């Protein structure tokens, strides 16, 4: 089942700009110095979108204003797209304030639609962003529902057709001239527009609008460009006024760290070194290289480390711009626990006996090490509970080993490690191989090797989790 989730972020212009005083009323201004977005404090005071800054300050003199930073909004949207990759492999940017996720293939993994949506909403809230969701079997339908007032998901085409009937045409973001012409003949809803004769609609309002309606209803294909995250993280943020107080800089760094954490969570990666730069007006930039003992993706930990650095090295001059850069994304260190850590021998035996009774004796077995370096011959099956500990290796081994190696073209691989030579003895079926950790075009982590007897042949032997 194909199902799309659109996450519309209406407050992105405001949320993309951190505030050193979150309890103070704040607005974002457009190029005409009018209120473009406002926070709940400003709204409660009576300020509305479209007001001039002078009128808003007349209502609330202590109002904090910031100019809109569209570049910063795009950077935040890209970071959220990378974060969303933990929920779906198909992510697209939708305009300047929305994301599209194909979630049909993720429902079973995350326990159903409600559980998945709740997990995404909780994650966005923890990152400090609010989103209006729209769910439909077509990407255009998900966009329209996310920008409308109806939060109910449309799980199939029949539900989508029903829900879009009463939605206003303004939700399609068509040009003002076409909307005005349609309104002149009494057409203000999408359902009314769909009821018009197709040929006449195409002649009067253009083929582009008809094609948009076809994409909305699934009558026409709607391919979307998938988001590809960059290999490094490099973000900057301009400081409001020249700041010399560390406490006013930390919210900006917290914002940048949260973006980096979001990207790393989506990729299941961590960093072990961060490069911090603070630019001044009349002095050379101040730089801090933060190294950590273990790779992680913990924004709160990075902020605490940076605070310690800044307390030890006071600022030499007021700061205009701050930036965070990370280059090497690595697998984070994890603490794996033993399955039987909290069970005694008797409890283990009871569990094994129940599994054997339920699944059959052939479905449950242990592994026993064999004295050979050839991976496919290095272990053999033994009775459940009778296996021996396998030999630990310095280099990681894949959890999933294929029954037999499969050929692959080298042009499809990106090697991620140095070669590990594995060679069997003369008394065994002689083989000489160089093994590598690699990625393919689908970003899967593979265990591959090159056979020295056939140097041009490459094989997949396993998959890393």
């Amino acid at each position: 089942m194909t199902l799309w989730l659109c996450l519309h972020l209406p407050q992105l212009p405001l949320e993309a700009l951190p505030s050193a005083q979150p309890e103070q009323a704040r607005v974002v201004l457009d190029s005409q110095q009018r209120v473009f977005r406002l926070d709940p404090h400003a709204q409660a005071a009576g300020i509305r979108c479209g007001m001039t800054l002078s009128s808003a300050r007349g209502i609330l003199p202590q109002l904090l204003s910031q100019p809109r930073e569209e570049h910063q909004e795009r950077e935040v949207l890209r970071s959220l797209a990378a974060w969303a990759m933990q929920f779906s492999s198909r992510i697209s940017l939708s305009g300047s304030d929305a994301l599209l996720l194909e979630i049909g293939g993720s429902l079973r993994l995350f326990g159903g639609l409600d559980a998945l949506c709740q997990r995404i909403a909780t994650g966005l809230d923890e990152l400090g962003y609010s989103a209006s969701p729209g769910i439909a079997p077509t990407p255009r339908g998900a966009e329209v529902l996310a920008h409308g007032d109806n939060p109910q998901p449309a799980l199939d085409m029949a539900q989508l057709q029903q829900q879009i009937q009463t939605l206003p045409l303004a939700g399609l973001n068509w040009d003002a001239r076409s909307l005005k012409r349609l309104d002149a003949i009494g057409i203000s809803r999408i359902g009314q527009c769909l009821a018009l004769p197709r040929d006449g609609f195409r002649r009067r309002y253009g083929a582009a609008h008809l094609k948009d309606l076809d994409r909305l209803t699934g009558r026409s294909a709607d391919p979307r460009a998938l988001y590809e995250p960059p290999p490094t993280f490099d973000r900057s943020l301009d400081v409001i006024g020249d700041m010399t107080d560390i406490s006013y800089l930390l919210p900006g760094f917290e914002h940048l760290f949260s973006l980096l954490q979001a990207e790393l969570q989506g990729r299941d990666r961590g960093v072990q070194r961060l490069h911090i730069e603070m630019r001044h007006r009349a002095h050379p930039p101040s730089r801090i290289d933060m190294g950590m003992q273990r790779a992680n993706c913990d924004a709160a930990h990075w902020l605490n480390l940076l605070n310690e650095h800044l307390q030890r090295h006071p600022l030499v001059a007021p700061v205009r711009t701050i930036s965070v850069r990370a280059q090497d994304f690595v697998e984070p260190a994890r603490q794996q626990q033993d399955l039987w850590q909290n069970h005694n021998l008797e409890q283990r035996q009871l569990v094994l006996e129940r599994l054997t009774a339920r699944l059959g004796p052939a479905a449950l077995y242990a592994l026993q090490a064999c004295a050979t370096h050839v991976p496919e011959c290095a272990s053999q099956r033994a009775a459940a509970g009778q296996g021996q500990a396998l030999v630990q290796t310095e280099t990681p081994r894949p959890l999933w080993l294929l029954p037999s190696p499969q050929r692959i073209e080298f042009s499809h691989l990106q090697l991620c490690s140095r070669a590990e030579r594995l060679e069997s003895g003369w008394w065994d079926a002689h083989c000489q191989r160089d093994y590598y950790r690699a990625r393919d075009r689908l970003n899967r982590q593979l265990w591959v090797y090159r056979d020295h007897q056939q140097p041009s042949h490459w094989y997949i032997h396993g998959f890393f989790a």
Side-chain angles (χ1 to χ4, degrees):
M1 177 179 67
T2 300
L3 200 62
W4 290 88
L5 166 65
C6 179
L7 296 172
H8 175 221
L9 296 103
Q11 291 291 86
L12 184 61
L14 188 71
E15 294 166 343
L17 299 174
S19 173
Q21 299 171 312
E23 70 284 350
Q24 186 174 352
R26 185 165 62 110
V27 298
V28 172
L29 306 176
D30 60 16
S31 58
Q32 303 298 320
Q33 292 295 295
R34 293 183 177 274
V35 176
F36 184 70
R37 290 290 187 275
L38 65 161
D39 68 3
H41 301 295
Q43 188 173 11
I47 299 172
R48 296 293 180 265
C49 288
M51 280 186 175
T52 62
L53 179 59
S54 57
S55 299
R57 286 249 168 89
I59 298 175
L60 197 63
Q62 67 272 26
L63 180 67
L64 180 64
S65 65
Q66 295 174 271
R68 186 183 181 188
E69 298 284 351
E70 296 186 54
H71 172 73
Q72 184 67 17
E73 294 172 31
R74 290 192 293 270
E75 295 296 335
V76 170
L77 196 64
R78 293 190 184 100
S79 293
L80 292 178
W83 169 81
M85 293 181 73
Q86 63 186 299
F87 305 108
S88 172
S89 60
R90 299 175 63 187
I91 310 291
S92 298
L93 304 182
S94 175
S96 61
D97 61 355
L99 294 175
L100 275 169
L101 294 76
E102 200 292 304
I103 59 173
S106 305
L107 298 182
R108 185 176 179 182
L109 175 64
F110 290 95
L113 180 61
D114 293 339
L116 174 59
C117 292
Q118 181 60 44
R119 186 163 176 176
I120 292 174
T122 301
L124 284 173
D125 184 65
E126 291 174 352
L127 292 172
Y129 300 95
S130 56
S132 301
I135 299 173
T138 66
R140 189 70 175 107
E143 290 174 337
V144 172
L145 293 180
H147 288 77
D149 297 328
N150 188 358
Q152 294 299 320
L155 303 182
D156 53 39
M157 295 306 303
Q159 292 183 10
L160 178 61
Q161 288 278 3
Q162 181 181 1
Q163 293 198 29
I164 62 177
Q165 291 294 317
T166 58
L167 292 180
L169 278 176
L172 296 174
N173 291 325
W174 288 355
D175 60 280
R177 181 173 178 270
S178 296
L179 294 177
K180 186 176 181 180
R181 291 178 61 195
L182 286 165
D183 186 64
I185 62 172
I187 304 298
S188 60
R189 304 288 176 181
I190 295 178
Q192 296 173 320
C193 200
L194 290 172
L196 295 175
R198 292 176 58 85
D199 291 340
F201 185 90
R202 181 188 294 107
R203 288 195 304 270
R204 290 176 175 84
Y205 305 105
H209 290 334
L210 182 62
K211 189 171 182 62
D212 190 37
L213 291 175
D214 288 343
R215 289 196 296 264
L216 171 64
T217 58
R219 189 167 184 168
S220 177
D222 189 8
R224 299 296 178 116
L226 299 183
Y227 175 72
E228 291 286 344
T232 61
F233 179 91
D234 192 351
R235 298 285 191 275
S236 299
L237 189 65
D238 293 332
V239 179
I240 303 176
D242 291 354
M243 291 293 179
T244 56
D245 191 341
I246 294 174
S247 62
Y248 285 96
L249 292 178
L250 291 179
F253 280 113
E254 183 179 15
H255 175 75
L256 295 179
F257 287 157
S258 70
L259 295 181
L260 175 56
Q261 176 180 287
E263 290 202 18
L264 294 173
Q265 287 176 340
R267 303 185 194 194
D268 192 23
R269 287 292 178 267
V271 292
Q272 202 165 354
R273 183 168 295 278
L274 294 176
H275 305 281
I276 311 297
E277 185 173 278
M278 293 169 286
R279 304 188 189 103
H280 312 284
R281 188 179 298 273
H283 288 78
S286 300
R287 295 184 175 91
I288 299 174
D289 284 342
M290 292 199 318
M292 288 154 278
Q293 297 292 326
R294 298 191 306 170
N296 66 85
C297 58
D298 187 348
H301 177 59
W302 302 332
L303 192 66
N304 289 334
L305 290 180
L306 178 61
N307 188 29
E308 295 294 336
H309 279 279
L310 293 177
Q311 294 290 346
R312 189 159 49 92
H313 301 287
L315 298 174
V316 297
V319 177
R320 299 183 59 193
T321 305
I322 59 176
S323 66
V324 176
R325 182 165 52 89
Q327 292 178 311
D328 300 321
F329 296 167
V330 298
E331 187 172 352
R334 296 183 176 91
Q335 186 69 32
Q336 287 192 332
Q337 295 183 349
D338 187 354
L339 175 64
W340 309 106
Q341 186 173 10
N342 298 320
H343 297 79
N344 56 36
L345 180 60
E346 183 178 354
Q347 289 175 318
R348 298 184 196 180
Q349 291 173 343
L350 290 175
V351 172
L352 293 175
E353 289 171 0
R354 291 187 63 184
L355 288 174
T356 303
R358 177 176 296 183
L359 304 175
L364 198 66
Y365 56 86
L367 291 178
Q368 183 170 312
C370 299
T372 179
H373 292 291
V374 182
E376 59 266 34
C377 303
S379 63
Q380 64 182 11
R381 295 187 180 187
Q386 303 299 318
Q388 298 176 357
L390 300 181
V391 177
Q392 297 290 330
T393 61
E394 295 183 0
T395 54
R397 293 286 187 264
L399 182 64
W400 178 10
L401 199 68
L402 296 178
S404 60
Q406 298 177 1
R407 279 285 306 277
I408 188 173
E409 294 295 330
F410 179 71
S411 58
H412 297 172
L413 298 173
Q414 178 186 356
L415 300 183
C416 303
S417 69
R418 303 174 70 177
E420 179 190 6
R421 175 68 57 84
L422 293 181
E423 188 172 354
S424 64
W426 60 267
W427 59 89
D428 204 349
H430 184 67
C431 70
Q432 190 178 30
R433 304 168 180 171
D434 283 341
Y435 278 84
Y436 300 84
R437 192 164 183 164
R439 291 181 182 272
D440 64 2
R441 292 178 176 178
L442 298 177
N443 208 31
R444 297 179 299 182
Q445 297 188 53
L446 312 175
W447 200 40
V448 302
Y449 72 84
R450 180 171 63 93
D451 194 336
H452 276 253
Q453 297 178 0
Q454 296 174 307
S456 62
H457 290 187
W458 287 79
Y459 297 87
I460 302 176
H461 206 159
F463 294 87
F464 288 93

